[in-house]
Amino acid sequence: MTLRIAVLASGRGSNMVSLLDKIREGLVDAEVTLVVTDKPGAGCLAKARAADVPALLELPRAPGESRDEYDVRLIACLQAEAPDLIVLAGFMRILTPAFCSAFEGRIINIHPALLPSFKGAHGVRDTLAAGARLAGCTTHFVTADLDGGPIILQAAVAVMEGETAEELAARVLVLEHQLLPRTVQLIAEGRVVMLHGKAVIADGPSWMGEVPIVADALYPAAF
Ligand code: GRF
């Protein structure tokens, strides 16, 4: 069954594009039926339009609106669309517990650091500032615990001597573009199951032969 996806994004939307590309190439059995942004005019909207996503929604926060009130509106929009999966691709809002429980187990996020280290809005910068030897990205289920939900996939690269945060972020972004579509395809195949609060990936065919990942390490290695 083709997975129906709603993407939530606030910025340039390169992760959304990587997902749309892999869907078009037939590597991900999904369709993006809705893109929502909280930032009117964000780059992701034009890219979604160019990719013929059927529904685009600008949903900025209204003046004086609380986080709870905003999420009530967001939940209503998403429930009307009834996606199988909600993908946060650079959505820069913290979601309320009400939102997380309305779509429990059906929201994933891509984070530009190796969780559970370096949570928050500056994953790459914080990785570098900490002097970590490994940088990378993580896909995970979204819970009310910010960047703390069950980890699905991670990919890592070694930090290079003298590298700037921008340079490292660019290398991590390359990994993100590979990790997010893989994660969605694993979910589309029904291979990601929750066991004792952790995401477990069932065995099955992998992309590794077809589309080698450009990373020093991919975890779990088989996917
Ligand atoms: C990515 O680095 C993602 O990991 C983070 O926000 C950024 C979004 O980039 N959550 P883009 O809009 O997908 O290009």
mmCIF file of all heavy atoms in Angstrom, residues 30-69:
data_model
loop_
_atom_site.group_PDB
_atom_site.id
_atom_site.type_symbol
_atom_site.label_atom_id
_atom_site.label_comp_id
_atom_site.label_asym_id
_atom_site.label_seq_id
_atom_site.Cartn_x
_atom_site.Cartn_y
_atom_site.Cartn_z
ATOM 1 N N ALA A 30 5.671 5.740 -1.840
ATOM 2 C CA ALA A 30 4.907 6.728 -1.080
ATOM 3 C C ALA A 30 4.462 7.839 -2.011
ATOM 4 O O ALA A 30 4.968 7.954 -3.136
ATOM 5 C CB ALA A 30 5.773 7.296 0.040
ATOM 6 N N GLU A 31 3.537 8.647 -1.554
ATOM 7 C CA GLU A 31 3.195 9.882 -2.269
ATOM 8 C C GLU A 31 3.060 10.992 -1.236
ATOM 9 O O GLU A 31 2.537 10.762 -0.139
ATOM 10 C CB GLU A 31 1.910 9.740 -3.084
ATOM 11 C CG GLU A 31 0.718 9.286 -2.287
ATOM 12 C CD GLU A 31 -0.547 9.158 -3.124
ATOM 13 O OE1 GLU A 31 -0.690 9.916 -4.084
ATOM 14 O OE2 GLU A 31 -1.374 8.304 -2.789
ATOM 15 N N VAL A 32 3.577 12.157 -1.581
ATOM 16 C CA VAL A 32 3.414 13.318 -0.708
ATOM 17 C C VAL A 32 2.131 14.010 -1.144
ATOM 18 O O VAL A 32 2.052 14.546 -2.251
ATOM 19 C CB VAL A 32 4.632 14.260 -0.782
ATOM 20 C CG1 VAL A 32 4.382 15.514 0.048
ATOM 21 C CG2 VAL A 32 5.892 13.537 -0.301
ATOM 22 N N THR A 33 1.124 13.956 -0.282
ATOM 23 C CA THR A 33 -0.185 14.500 -0.658
ATOM 24 C C THR A 33 -0.375 15.918 -0.133
ATOM 25 O O THR A 33 -1.269 16.624 -0.581
ATOM 26 C CB THR A 33 -1.313 13.607 -0.124
ATOM 27 O OG1 THR A 33 -1.225 13.563 1.305
ATOM 28 C CG2 THR A 33 -1.212 12.193 -0.677
ATOM 29 N N LEU A 34 0.446 16.307 0.827
ATOM 30 C CA LEU A 34 0.276 17.630 1.447
ATOM 31 C C LEU A 34 1.615 18.135 1.970
ATOM 32 O O LEU A 34 2.368 17.370 2.589
ATOM 33 C CB LEU A 34 -0.711 17.513 2.629
ATOM 34 C CG LEU A 34 -0.873 18.723 3.551
ATOM 35 C CD1 LEU A 34 -1.524 19.894 2.812
ATOM 36 C CD2 LEU A 34 -1.716 18.351 4.772
ATOM 37 N N VAL A 35 1.897 19.404 1.723
ATOM 38 C CA VAL A 35 3.051 20.061 2.357
ATOM 39 C C VAL A 35 2.521 21.256 3.136
ATOM 40 O O VAL A 35 1.768 22.080 2.592
ATOM 41 C CB VAL A 35 4.101 20.513 1.312
ATOM 42 C CG1 VAL A 35 5.172 21.386 1.955
ATOM 43 C CG2 VAL A 35 4.745 19.296 0.650
ATOM 44 N N VAL A 36 2.895 21.326 4.389
ATOM 45 C CA VAL A 36 2.475 22.435 5.242
ATOM 46 C C VAL A 36 3.709 23.198 5.685
ATOM 47 O O VAL A 36 4.712 22.583 6.089
ATOM 48 C CB VAL A 36 1.750 21.929 6.518
ATOM 49 C CG1 VAL A 36 1.265 23.111 7.364
ATOM 50 C CG2 VAL A 36 0.583 21.017 6.168
ATOM 51 N N THR A 37 3.627 24.517 5.608
ATOM 52 C CA THR A 37 4.705 25.320 6.176
ATOM 53 C C THR A 37 4.129 26.371 7.117
ATOM 54 O O THR A 37 3.010 26.853 6.915
ATOM 55 C CB THR A 37 5.559 26.007 5.086
ATOM 56 O OG1 THR A 37 6.668 26.657 5.730
ATOM 57 C CG2 THR A 37 4.770 27.052 4.305
ATOM 58 N N ASP A 38 4.888 26.681 8.139
ATOM 59 C CA ASP A 38 4.489 27.755 9.057
ATOM 60 C C ASP A 38 5.111 29.081 8.624
ATOM 61 O O ASP A 38 4.866 30.108 9.241
ATOM 62 C CB ASP A 38 4.922 27.402 10.495
ATOM 63 C CG ASP A 38 6.422 27.223 10.603
ATOM 64 O OD1 ASP A 38 7.029 26.667 9.658
ATOM 65 O OD2 ASP A 38 7.008 27.620 11.623
ATOM 66 N N LYS A 39 5.943 29.028 7.579
ATOM 67 C CA LYS A 39 6.657 30.237 7.120
ATOM 68 C C LYS A 39 6.211 30.598 5.706
ATOM 69 O O LYS A 39 6.680 30.008 4.724
ATOM 70 C CB LYS A 39 8.168 29.982 7.103
ATOM 71 C CG LYS A 39 8.767 29.739 8.474
ATOM 72 C CD LYS A 39 9.140 31.055 9.146
ATOM 73 C CE LYS A 39 9.777 30.852 10.501
ATOM 74 N NZ LYS A 39 8.845 30.443 11.540
ATOM 75 N N PRO A 40 5.304 31.565 5.589
ATOM 76 C CA PRO A 40 4.833 31.951 4.257
ATOM 77 C C PRO A 40 6.014 32.300 3.341
ATOM 78 O O PRO A 40 6.947 32.971 3.762
ATOM 79 C CB PRO A 40 3.964 33.188 4.528
ATOM 80 C CG PRO A 40 3.523 33.029 5.946
ATOM 81 C CD PRO A 40 4.663 32.345 6.653
ATOM 82 N N GLY A 41 5.946 31.796 2.135
ATOM 83 C CA GLY A 41 7.009 32.094 1.169
ATOM 84 C C GLY A 41 8.256 31.256 1.341
ATOM 85 O O GLY A 41 9.251 31.481 0.635
ATOM 86 N N ALA A 42 8.241 30.295 2.248
ATOM 87 C CA ALA A 42 9.426 29.445 2.442
ATOM 88 C C ALA A 42 9.745 28.703 1.141
ATOM 89 O O ALA A 42 8.842 28.358 0.367
ATOM 90 C CB ALA A 42 9.172 28.449 3.569
ATOM 91 N N GLY A 43 11.038 28.453 0.930
ATOM 92 C CA GLY A 43 11.498 27.809 -0.306
ATOM 93 C C GLY A 43 10.838 26.464 -0.554
ATOM 94 O O GLY A 43 10.632 26.060 -1.706
ATOM 95 N N CYS A 44 10.493 25.775 0.522
ATOM 96 C CA CYS A 44 9.902 24.438 0.365
ATOM 97 C C CYS A 44 8.600 24.489 -0.436
ATOM 98 O O CYS A 44 8.283 23.547 -1.163
ATOM 99 C CB CYS A 44 9.675 23.793 1.726
ATOM 100 S SG CYS A 44 8.627 24.764 2.836
ATOM 101 N N LEU A 45 7.858 25.587 -0.340
ATOM 102 C CA LEU A 45 6.562 25.659 -1.018
ATOM 103 C C LEU A 45 6.731 25.668 -2.534
ATOM 104 O O LEU A 45 6.059 24.920 -3.245
ATOM 105 C CB LEU A 45 5.811 26.920 -0.596
ATOM 106 C CG LEU A 45 4.949 26.835 0.648
ATOM 107 C CD1 LEU A 45 4.112 28.080 0.763
ATOM 108 C CD2 LEU A 45 4.076 25.591 0.655
ATOM 109 N N ALA A 46 7.643 26.514 -3.012
ATOM 110 C CA ALA A 46 7.880 26.588 -4.455
ATOM 111 C C ALA A 46 8.372 25.240 -4.971
ATOM 112 O O ALA A 46 7.978 24.784 -6.055
ATOM 113 C CB ALA A 46 8.898 27.680 -4.764
ATOM 114 N N LYS A 47 9.216 24.585 -4.176
ATOM 115 C CA LYS A 47 9.750 23.282 -4.607
ATOM 116 C C LYS A 47 8.640 22.236 -4.633
ATOM 117 O O LYS A 47 8.592 21.382 -5.518
ATOM 118 C CB LYS A 47 10.892 22.861 -3.684
ATOM 119 C CG LYS A 47 12.134 23.722 -3.907
ATOM 120 C CD LYS A 47 13.207 23.450 -2.883
ATOM 121 C CE LYS A 47 14.395 24.372 -3.098
ATOM 122 N NZ LYS A 47 15.238 24.535 -1.924
ATOM 123 N N ALA A 48 7.748 22.292 -3.647
ATOM 124 C CA ALA A 48 6.634 21.334 -3.611
ATOM 125 C C ALA A 48 5.700 21.578 -4.801
ATOM 126 O O ALA A 48 5.207 20.640 -5.425
ATOM 127 C CB ALA A 48 5.876 21.469 -2.294
ATOM 128 N N ARG A 49 5.495 22.856 -5.116
ATOM 129 C CA ARG A 49 4.632 23.201 -6.255
ATOM 130 C C ARG A 49 5.259 22.671 -7.552
ATOM 131 O O ARG A 49 4.584 22.067 -8.380
ATOM 132 C CB ARG A 49 4.470 24.726 -6.321
ATOM 133 C CG ARG A 49 3.365 25.181 -7.227
ATOM 134 C CD ARG A 49 3.109 26.684 -7.132
ATOM 135 N NE ARG A 49 2.584 27.095 -5.839
ATOM 136 C CZ ARG A 49 3.167 27.946 -5.000
ATOM 137 N NH1 ARG A 49 4.322 28.503 -5.323
ATOM 138 N NH2 ARG A 49 2.622 28.255 -3.854
ATOM 139 N N ALA A 50 6.566 22.880 -7.673
ATOM 140 C CA ALA A 50 7.264 22.417 -8.886
ATOM 141 C C ALA A 50 7.185 20.899 -9.014
ATOM 142 O O ALA A 50 7.225 20.360 -10.120
ATOM 143 C CB ALA A 50 8.722 22.875 -8.851
ATOM 144 N N ALA A 51 7.070 20.211 -7.881
ATOM 145 C CA ALA A 51 7.008 18.740 -7.916
ATOM 146 C C ALA A 51 5.560 18.245 -7.980
ATOM 147 O O ALA A 51 5.308 17.053 -7.828
ATOM 148 C CB ALA A 51 7.714 18.169 -6.687
ATOM 149 N N ASP A 52 4.631 19.176 -8.190
ATOM 150 C CA ASP A 52 3.213 18.820 -8.330
ATOM 151 C C ASP A 52 2.605 18.164 -7.105
ATOM 152 O O ASP A 52 1.737 17.291 -7.225
ATOM 153 C CB ASP A 52 2.993 17.904 -9.550
ATOM 154 C CG ASP A 52 3.242 18.640 -10.854
ATOM 155 O OD1 ASP A 52 2.967 19.855 -10.905
ATOM 156 O OD2 ASP A 52 3.722 17.992 -11.800
ATOM 157 N N VAL A 53 3.059 18.569 -5.923
ATOM 158 C CA VAL A 53 2.390 18.090 -4.708
ATOM 159 C C VAL A 53 0.961 18.655 -4.736
ATOM 160 O O VAL A 53 0.770 19.854 -4.948
ATOM 161 C CB VAL A 53 3.144 18.570 -3.442
ATOM 162 C CG1 VAL A 53 2.344 18.233 -2.191
ATOM 163 C CG2 VAL A 53 4.533 17.940 -3.394
ATOM 164 N N PRO A 54 -0.047 17.792 -4.539
ATOM 165 C CA PRO A 54 -1.428 18.250 -4.771
ATOM 166 C C PRO A 54 -1.941 19.311 -3.805
ATOM 167 O O PRO A 54 -2.802 20.107 -4.185
ATOM 168 C CB PRO A 54 -2.261 16.961 -4.665
ATOM 169 C CG PRO A 54 -1.368 15.922 -4.125
ATOM 170 C CD PRO A 54 0.038 16.342 -4.360
ATOM 171 N N ALA A 55 -1.468 19.334 -2.577
ATOM 172 C CA ALA A 55 -1.996 20.326 -1.629
ATOM 173 C C ALA A 55 -0.856 21.013 -0.890
ATOM 174 O O ALA A 55 0.025 20.351 -0.326
ATOM 175 C CB ALA A 55 -2.944 19.656 -0.642
ATOM 176 N N LEU A 56 -0.875 22.325 -0.917
ATOM 177 C CA LEU A 56 0.141 23.127 -0.222
ATOM 178 C C LEU A 56 -0.580 24.035 0.748
ATOM 179 O O LEU A 56 -1.596 24.641 0.401
ATOM 180 C CB LEU A 56 0.921 23.991 -1.208
ATOM 181 C CG LEU A 56 1.487 23.295 -2.442
ATOM 182 C CD1 LEU A 56 2.149 24.316 -3.363
ATOM 183 C CD2 LEU A 56 2.504 22.247 -2.028
ATOM 184 N N LEU A 57 -0.059 24.150 1.941
ATOM 185 C CA LEU A 57 -0.743 24.954 2.941
ATOM 186 C C LEU A 57 0.248 25.836 3.683
ATOM 187 O O LEU A 57 1.230 25.343 4.240
ATOM 188 C CB LEU A 57 -1.440 24.013 3.942
ATOM 189 C CG LEU A 57 -2.166 24.665 5.109
ATOM 190 C CD1 LEU A 57 -3.311 25.547 4.628
ATOM 191 C CD2 LEU A 57 -2.682 23.584 6.064
ATOM 192 N N GLU A 58 -0.012 27.151 3.645
ATOM 193 C CA GLU A 58 0.757 28.082 4.481
ATOM 194 C C GLU A 58 -0.037 28.286 5.747
ATOM 195 O O GLU A 58 -1.174 28.762 5.705
ATOM 196 C CB GLU A 58 0.914 29.424 3.760
ATOM 197 C CG GLU A 58 1.942 29.401 2.660
ATOM 198 C CD GLU A 58 2.187 30.797 2.086
ATOM 199 O OE1 GLU A 58 1.441 31.733 2.435
ATOM 200 O OE2 GLU A 58 3.129 30.932 1.292
ATOM 201 N N LEU A 59 0.545 27.928 6.856
ATOM 202 C CA LEU A 59 -0.169 28.033 8.130
ATOM 203 C C LEU A 59 0.710 28.787 9.135
ATOM 204 O O LEU A 59 1.316 28.176 10.021
ATOM 205 C CB LEU A 59 -0.510 26.627 8.646
ATOM 206 C CG LEU A 59 -1.545 26.551 9.764
ATOM 207 C CD1 LEU A 59 -2.933 26.899 9.242
ATOM 208 C CD2 LEU A 59 -1.557 25.159 10.387
ATOM 209 N N PRO A 60 0.818 30.117 8.971
ATOM 210 C CA PRO A 60 1.637 30.863 9.923
ATOM 211 C C PRO A 60 0.918 30.985 11.252
ATOM 212 O O PRO A 60 -0.311 30.876 11.319
ATOM 213 C CB PRO A 60 1.785 32.230 9.256
ATOM 214 C CG PRO A 60 0.606 32.366 8.363
ATOM 215 C CD PRO A 60 0.207 30.981 7.943
ATOM 216 N N ARG A 61 1.696 31.197 12.281
ATOM 217 C CA ARG A 61 1.102 31.419 13.593
ATOM 218 C C ARG A 61 0.379 32.766 13.587
ATOM 219 O O ARG A 61 0.930 33.763 13.125
ATOM 220 C CB ARG A 61 2.225 31.411 14.630
ATOM 221 C CG ARG A 61 1.721 31.397 16.025
ATOM 222 C CD ARG A 61 2.881 31.228 16.981
ATOM 223 N NE ARG A 61 2.517 31.854 18.244
ATOM 224 C CZ ARG A 61 3.376 32.354 19.091
ATOM 225 N NH1 ARG A 61 4.654 32.331 18.824
ATOM 226 N NH2 ARG A 61 2.961 32.884 20.207
ATOM 227 N N ALA A 62 -0.860 32.785 14.079
ATOM 228 C CA ALA A 62 -1.616 34.039 14.137
ATOM 229 C C ALA A 62 -1.090 34.894 15.286
ATOM 230 O O ALA A 62 -0.559 34.355 16.261
ATOM 231 C CB ALA A 62 -3.095 33.734 14.347
ATOM 232 N N PRO A 63 -1.240 36.232 15.178
ATOM 233 C CA PRO A 63 -0.733 37.096 16.252
ATOM 234 C C PRO A 63 -1.346 36.696 17.602
ATOM 235 O O PRO A 63 -2.560 36.522 17.702
ATOM 236 C CB PRO A 63 -1.195 38.495 15.833
ATOM 237 C CG PRO A 63 -1.451 38.404 14.373
ATOM 238 C CD PRO A 63 -1.853 36.990 14.083
ATOM 239 N N GLY A 64 -0.508 36.532 18.581
ATOM 240 C CA GLY A 64 -0.981 36.226 19.934
ATOM 241 C C GLY A 64 -1.414 34.784 20.145
ATOM 242 O O GLY A 64 -1.805 34.404 21.250
ATOM 243 N N GLU A 65 -1.325 34.001 19.092
ATOM 244 C CA GLU A 65 -1.780 32.606 19.206
ATOM 245 C C GLU A 65 -0.784 31.781 20.022
ATOM 246 O O GLU A 65 0.426 31.863 19.820
ATOM 247 C CB GLU A 65 -1.912 32.028 17.790
ATOM 248 C CG GLU A 65 -2.535 30.658 17.723
ATOM 249 C CD GLU A 65 -2.719 30.197 16.283
ATOM 250 O OE1 GLU A 65 -1.799 30.449 15.473
ATOM 251 O OE2 GLU A 65 -3.747 29.612 15.971
ATOM 252 N N SER A 66 -1.301 30.970 20.932
ATOM 253 C CA SER A 66 -0.413 30.137 21.744
ATOM 254 C C SER A 66 0.007 28.906 20.941
ATOM 255 O O SER A 66 -0.592 28.581 19.908
ATOM 256 C CB SER A 66 -1.126 29.674 23.020
ATOM 257 O OG SER A 66 -2.125 28.741 22.683
ATOM 258 N N ARG A 67 1.008 28.225 21.460
ATOM 259 C CA ARG A 67 1.461 26.990 20.810
ATOM 260 C C ARG A 67 0.324 25.965 20.746
ATOM 261 O O ARG A 67 0.113 25.293 19.752
ATOM 262 C CB ARG A 67 2.629 26.425 21.627
ATOM 263 C CG ARG A 67 3.441 25.389 20.884
ATOM 264 C CD ARG A 67 4.428 24.745 21.823
ATOM 265 N NE ARG A 67 5.401 25.656 22.389
ATOM 266 C CZ ARG A 67 6.540 25.998 21.787
ATOM 267 N NH1 ARG A 67 6.813 25.522 20.607
ATOM 268 N NH2 ARG A 67 7.380 26.804 22.380
ATOM 269 N N ASP A 68 -0.427 25.884 21.852
ATOM 270 C CA ASP A 68 -1.550 24.929 21.896
ATOM 271 C C ASP A 68 -2.597 25.267 20.842
ATOM 272 O O ASP A 68 -3.099 24.384 20.140
ATOM 273 C CB ASP A 68 -2.204 24.932 23.287
ATOM 274 C CG ASP A 68 -1.319 24.245 24.316
ATOM 275 O OD1 ASP A 68 -0.570 23.332 23.924
ATOM 276 O OD2 ASP A 68 -1.367 24.640 25.497
ATOM 277 N N GLU A 69 -2.923 26.562 20.755
ATOM 278 C CA GLU A 69 -3.954 26.977 19.792
ATOM 279 C C GLU A 69 -3.495 26.704 18.352
ATOM 280 O O GLU A 69 -4.274 26.246 17.513
ATOM 281 C CB GLU A 69 -4.274 28.466 19.974
ATOM 282 C CG GLU A 69 -5.056 28.748 21.254
ATOM 283 C CD GLU A 69 -5.018 30.220 21.672
ATOM 284 O OE1 GLU A 69 -4.177 30.994 21.153
ATOM 285 O OE2 GLU A 69 -5.832 30.584 22.525
#
